[in-house]
Amino acid sequence: MMETTSENDAVNSKLIPVTLDANFFFERAVRSLDRFQYDKALKHFRKAVEYEPDNPVNHCNMAGILSEMGKYEASNDILAQVLETIDPGMTECHFYMANNYANMESFEEAERALVTYLEEDAKGEFLAESEELMELLQYELDRPAPLNRIKSREGVVEHDRARALLEAGQFTQAVGLLEEIVSATPDFLAAHNNLALAYFYMGRFAKARECISEVLEQDSGNLHALCNLAIFLQYEGDRDQLTGLVRMLEATVPFHQEHVFKLATTMGILGRHRTAYGHFRRLLKDEEVGGDASLYHYCAAAASNSGLYAEAQRCWRQVTKLDPESVVPQFFLAQLEQAQSEGIEMPLVSYNYQLPFQEKLKLWKDNKGSFAEEVKTNPLLRSSFFWALRYGDTNTKLQVTEALRWIDDAEMSEILQDLLSQQPLQEEKLQEAALLSLQKLIGSGPVENAPLQQDPEPAPLFQKGQPEWKEDWQRVIDQTASMMDRRYDAGQKKDAEQLWQQFIGRLYPDVPYIRHAEGWCAALEYLTAKLHKRPVTFREVAQRYGVTESMVSRYAKRIAAECEIN
């Protein structure tokens, strides 16, 4: 008898107790979502609500799943219950309800919910999305919305300007403007988050943490702040705090597209590639962004870094269809095929939609020593150099040959010699750059027939008429010039053309696929008008070109950032 009891104790000691609480079912719901098992996810979220009925986040997650399943009425019933009995301060529920009503084509109800959101929400998390939805509702109802005020608009114009400065790397100016905004409107949480990022980029880590703390004091569940905090903690090496925060973020299921993308990219930065992959997969199902080549690359990178090579291959093949001119998917498909044939793991892939060497070239001039060492030791980076020299266009080869002067490597010398041996090498600037690079690598005096004794000038911008210039790029110039006719003089139209050529030249070869030409045209006219001090608004040009204000704003910021327009 005593022996039997001992055996039972031994068995019991090996059992791991399971705590059935809200977090347990939350995590099970997340795993079900990763497998797109919505019925199971809904079941687990309901159990999480049973364990924590006063937690509004659990209810909102359940509403989000119902919305994705097309059960919009049931989703709104839950959101209404949150506002009525659990947390009336969760104003974002009004925005979620507006989207559900719009999907049900109940446009008047959608308008009422959206107006309530805009007039009550102080954070403005979904302001851009609200503007697009408002335009849709105005079109469907054939009248403007009865909107008296937008609570979160205070400081928005200044905030947009600060974000543009931040994206352009002008951190000091961005900090000055953002500090003014948060001083005037302390509850403008988006400005606090961007100020934290600006401080972080400048190396002012204590101030960055202080800003994040202020956001979380006002809104403990602010996803942007939590994601930024996780990145800060990783940089500082604070593993204790980071572990708990990452666990919470991994159990979070964002409701809105912007939050899904923020969380996905954060998980990628933190090295949680499997979680990032699940979120990117969710985004690919969204019709609005699901056709974006770069998004498929993000998903492929996350899949590859998770060891899901078949899925990575599928995604990169889709990139080749969406962006057939890009060499990026071709490069990674070739690297993946080689790794599989050799039976080795694929090196970690960057989420940036570009070849590895292009990402590093942004920093190489300021740190040539470490750059040269990384080229020698990083196989994926090294392969991308070879790939660019063999298959890249003239501008790409120019970038590579200039950088190779600082990499003392025999194999690189052979590649350059092969490049020079091509008969004929038609691009004169490329020949000059290759000769200079080879001369420096060999270190034995001038190479025979080298035409220059100094660094070549930077590669010129791509101009209309060159072989690389595409019809869809030219279409933007032609359409913009036509729309600007009789309202702008010839010089101003020429400025718009040159601005577009400069933009394409700065991005080349990673020029985005021009899916919405009218949006780019509107952005081009807007910036040209601003450069000439002409009064113009996003709404004005958006109406003229038949696009949304948010699209014009987004494209204008992209052009301004690349062309360094202040």
Side-chain angles (χ1 to χ4, degrees), residues 310-420:
E311 179 61 18
Q313 185 179 61
R314 186 190 72 80
C315 287
W316 274 318
R317 283 176 176 169
Q318 185 64 22
V319 179
T320 63
K321 296 177 182 179
L322 295 170
D323 190 4
E325 300 298 323
S326 175
V327 298
V328 174
Q330 300 168 26
F331 168 75
F332 285 110
L333 283 169
Q335 296 300 307
L336 182 57
E337 182 179 349
Q338 180 180 345
Q340 290 179 314
S341 66
E342 296 176 0
I344 61 175
E345 289 187 2
M346 181 79 167
L348 285 178
V349 177
S350 169
Y351 287 85
N352 289 326
Y353 183 43
Q354 54 192 359
L355 293 177
F357 90 87
Q358 292 172 315
E359 181 179 355
K360 295 297 180 181
L361 280 182
K362 295 177 180 178
L363 306 173
W364 77 274
K365 291 185 179 180
D366 295 325
N367 198 358
K368 299 183 180 71
S370 63
F371 170 76
E373 186 61 30
E374 187 170 1
V375 172
K376 294 178 182 179
T377 58
N378 185 327
L380 202 60
L381 176 59
R382 188 177 182 82
S383 296
S384 74
F385 269 94
F386 297 151
W387 181 276
L389 282 173
R390 291 191 179 103
Y391 305 110
D393 54 80
T394 302
N395 188 54
T396 301
K397 290 178 179 178
L398 275 168
Q399 294 178 47
V400 174
T401 52
E402 182 180 357
L404 289 186
R405 292 174 211 175
W406 307 96
I407 305 171
D408 183 14
D409 187 294
E411 191 175 12
M412 293 295 183
S413 298
E414 292 180 11
I415 293 291
L416 284 173
Q417 288 174 339
D418 289 342
L419 183 66
L420 284 168

Side-chain angles (χ1 to χ4, degrees), residues 153 155-165 538 553 557:
R153 285 298 292 185
V156 167
V157 174
E158 295 82 358
H159 182 243
D160 287 344
R161 166 71 175 153
R163 285 180 60 187
L165 290 170
F538 287 133
S553 173
K557 289 174 186 174

